[in-house]
């Protein structure tokens, strides 16, 4: 979905903390930058233990898109010049959270696959299916885990006609 959330994961894949921004702001489907969620996850955590930041969002690939999506935040209203998006994120994490670590972007459905794998207990030679409304232009993917690598076999483009997630969204929205 589009809701902002944050998850703190240890090297071995164990989830330490996770929370959606809406739980802290009490704004249903809060899409704004998850300042509150980040603060929540970093509470009682030694910043030196954080080794990297990873984000996943196909819409957020440049500063203009980012600023337009999060325009309500005063912090973003002050940004004038264009720059590399990861550099921009590094500035936010450095200034707002005292974090100076590498930042990576993960493809939407790959992130779903990793999340499912981390919680599954499966180790190797399995098929992974992701299906949602859409993400990075696709509604679903089929991948395999082989030798600790996720290999994409197929992906299905997003359209309202073939997305299980969109069918679910429209059905529950009508209720």
């Amino acid at each position: 979905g589009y809701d902002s959330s944050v998850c703190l994961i240890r090297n071995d894949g164990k989830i330490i903390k996770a929370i959606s921004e809406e739980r802290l702001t009490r704004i249903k489907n809060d899409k704004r930058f998850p300042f509150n969620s980040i603060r929540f996850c970093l509470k009682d955590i030694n910043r030196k233990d954080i080794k990297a930041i990873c984000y996943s969002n196909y819409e957020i690939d440049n500063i203009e898109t980012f600023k337009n999506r999060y325009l309500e935040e005063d912090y973003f209203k002050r940004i004038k010049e264009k720059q590399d998006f990861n550099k921009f994120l590094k500035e936010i994490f450095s200034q707002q959270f005292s974090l100076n670590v590498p930042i990576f972007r993960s493809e939407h459905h790959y992130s779903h696959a990793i999340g499912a794998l981390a919680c599954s207990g499966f180790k190797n030679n399995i098929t992974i299916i992701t299906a949602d409304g859409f993400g990075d232009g696709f509604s679903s993917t089929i991948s395999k885990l082989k030798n600790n690598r996720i290999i994409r076999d197929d992906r299905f483009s997003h359209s309202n006609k073939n997305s299980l997630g969109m069918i679910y969204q429209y059905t529950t929205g009508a209720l």
Side-chain angles (χ1 to χ4, degrees):
Y2 292 108
D3 306 348
S4 295
S5 57
V6 174
C7 183
L8 191 59
I9 304 172
R10 228 173 38 198
N11 286 5
D12 62 3
K14 182 179 180 199
I15 296 171
I16 306 299
K17 293 182 184 179
I19 194 161
S20 292
E21 189 73 359
E22 71 177 21
R23 302 278 299 182
L24 299 169
T25 64
R26 311 306 287 167
I27 298 170
K28 185 72 176 157
N29 300 319
D30 196 341
K31 298 171 176 57
R32 294 174 297 170
F33 190 81
F35 283 111
N36 298 300
S37 298
I38 295 168
R39 285 185 191 99
F40 173 86
C41 285
L42 291 176
K43 186 177 180 188
D44 303 322
I45 299 291
N46 186 340
R47 301 286 198 277
K48 292 179 181 176
D49 291 337
I50 307 291
K51 302 300 180 206
I53 296 166
C54 185
Y55 70 96
S56 173
N57 195 320
Y58 77 105
E59 287 184 338
I60 307 302
D61 58 0
N62 65 62
I63 290 176
E64 289 307 311
T65 304
F66 190 80
K67 283 167 43 179
N68 290 338
R69 180 168 176 187
Y70 300 115
L71 198 55
E72 294 177 44
E73 299 291 341
D74 289 337
Y75 184 78
F76 302 115
K77 289 179 184 175
R78 295 193 304 264
I79 297 166
K80 303 262 188 257
E81 70 279 350
K82 289 185 179 183
Q83 55 184 293
D84 174 79
F85 187 68
N86 273 6
K87 182 179 176 186
F88 173 69
L89 282 180
K90 276 181 122 11
E91 288 176 15
I92 290 174
F93 279 97
S94 174
Q95 294 170 9
Q96 298 291 320
F97 306 106
S98 301
L99 284 171
N100 294 297
V101 296
I103 297 179
F104 302 95
R105 181 185 178 276
S106 176
E107 187 265 341
H108 180 91
H109 285 277
Y110 181 79
S111 297
H112 281 308
I114 290 289
L117 254 172
C119 298
S120 73
F122 295 119
K123 299 295 179 200
N124 220 352
N125 298 321
I126 62 168
T127 299
I128 305 164
I129 299 171
T130 64
D132 65 5
F134 55 90
D136 288 339
F138 299 97
S139 63
S140 49
T141 64
I142 300 174
S143 304
K144 287 195 173 45
L145 178 67
K146 291 183 180 176
N147 301 320
N148 293 319
R149 295 197 62 192
I150 294 176
I151 300 161
R152 174 82 39 87
D153 285 341
D154 207 351
R155 57 189 182 183
F156 304 93
S157 66
H158 158 67
S159 81
N160 292 344
K161 297 175 191 167
N162 67 4
S163 171
L164 291 174
M166 294 306 288
I167 292 169
Y168 176 81
Q169 178 182 333
Y170 294 141
T171 302
T172 57
L175 297 176

